Amino acid sequence: MRQAERGRAVRLMFQDEGRFGLLGTPRRCWAPSGVRPVVGARLERKYLYAFSAVSPHDGVMDSLVLPWVNAQTMSLFLAEVAQRHANEFVLMVMDQAGWHVAGELLVPSNMRLTFLPPYSPELNPAEHLWKALREDCFANHVFKDLNAVERALSSGIRALEANPARTRSMTGFDWVVSISLNAT
C-alpha cells in the first residue's frame, strides 16, 4: 500500500556524516596591514562524527554527534530521525558507505533508504552542511580536547537546526531551476 493512501506525508531527506576533530583547519582571516596572523595547530588525531539528515525543500535538519561511524551508530541515528518524524514516511537518500549498506543496519518501519551512485558527493545536498560548520565553528580554532570539539560542533548544529531558512538556502537546488528558467 502506498504511503499517500495511508494518509501519511512523505518527507524526502538527504543524509551524510561529517568528521570533526582536534586538527585545526587554517582559513584566511583578517589582520592589519604588515601583521602576519598566527594560527595554532594540533597534530593529535581524535575525531567525533556528526550524523545529519536534511530536507532541502523546507530546511528541516536532524542531527546526532556520535563517537564513531558503523552500522550500530547509523541504526541509532535512523531510529532518532524516524522518531522525530513519526507521523511521516521518510525517504532517506544517502551515499553507499559501508555502514549504510551493512547487513546488520536496522531501518525503521517508517523509513526507506535509497542510495546515490558511487563517488558522487556533489549529488548530496547534506555535504554543504559540513562546509558551513567548518567555516562557522572550526576555522582557525585549536581545541583542547574532544569535549571542546563536541561543544563547538553541537553549538553549530543547533544553530543550523534552529535556522531552517539558512539550511534550506545551503541545501536546496532551487537556484539550478532558477538559472535554467532564466536562460530560456
Side-chain angles (χ1 to χ4, degrees):
M1 183 183 244
R2 302 180 69 77
Q3 298 304 317
E5 293 169 356
R6 294 182 184 171
R8 188 190 269 182
V10 176
R11 176 171 292 278
L12 174 64
M13 299 189 89
F14 290 82
Q15 188 278 333
D16 198 32
E17 303 86 20
R19 184 175 75 175
F20 296 86
L22 298 174
L23 291 171
T25 307
R27 297 279 197 239
R28 291 181 147 204
C29 62
W30 180 89
S33 181
V35 175
R36 184 176 181 157
V38 176
V39 176
R42 187 174 183 139
L43 300 177
E44 193 173 1
R45 297 181 189 278
K46 291 184 180 178
Y47 301 99
L48 291 173
Y49 297 87
F51 288 69
S52 290
V54 63
S55 291
H57 75 281
D58 62 5
V60 169
M61 180 176 148
D62 299 316
S63 302
L64 285 179
V65 176
L66 298 168
W68 54 83
V69 289
N70 60 24
Q72 182 182 12
T73 54
M74 187 66 197
S75 296
L76 180 69
F77 175 70
L78 293 177
E80 179 66 22
V81 172
Q83 180 183 358
R84 291 182 188 183
H85 302 283
N87 296 327
E88 298 173 306
F89 185 83
V90 178
L91 177 60
M92 186 72 72
V93 181
M94 58 182 66
D95 60 27
Q96 296 183 46
W99 51 89
H100 295 170
V101 295
E104 60 270 14
L105 183 67
L106 303 174
V107 180
S109 62
N110 69 327
M111 184 178 290
R112 175 182 245 174
L113 306 182
T114 190
F115 300 101
L116 293 167
Y119 309 107
S120 58
E122 66 279 0
L123 298 178
N124 191 344
E127 293 278 351
H128 299 284
L129 301 171
W130 312 137
K131 182 178 179 184
L133 285 169
R134 286 187 175 93
E135 283 292 324
D136 295 350
C137 306
F138 288 84
N140 298 330
H141 283 62
V142 177
F143 296 98
K144 176 183 170 188
D145 55 25
L146 278 180
N147 289 332
V149 172
E150 184 175 9
R151 284 191 299 276
L153 182 55
S154 296
S155 174
I157 286 173
R158 279 194 301 274
L160 285 176
E161 286 182 354
N163 191 346
R166 179 174 184 221
T167 304
R168 183 181 181 281
S169 74
M170 286 188 300
T171 60
F173 291 138
D174 292 347
W175 60 272
V176 174
V177 174
S178 165
I179 290 171
S180 298
L181 292 176
N182 291 333
T184 57

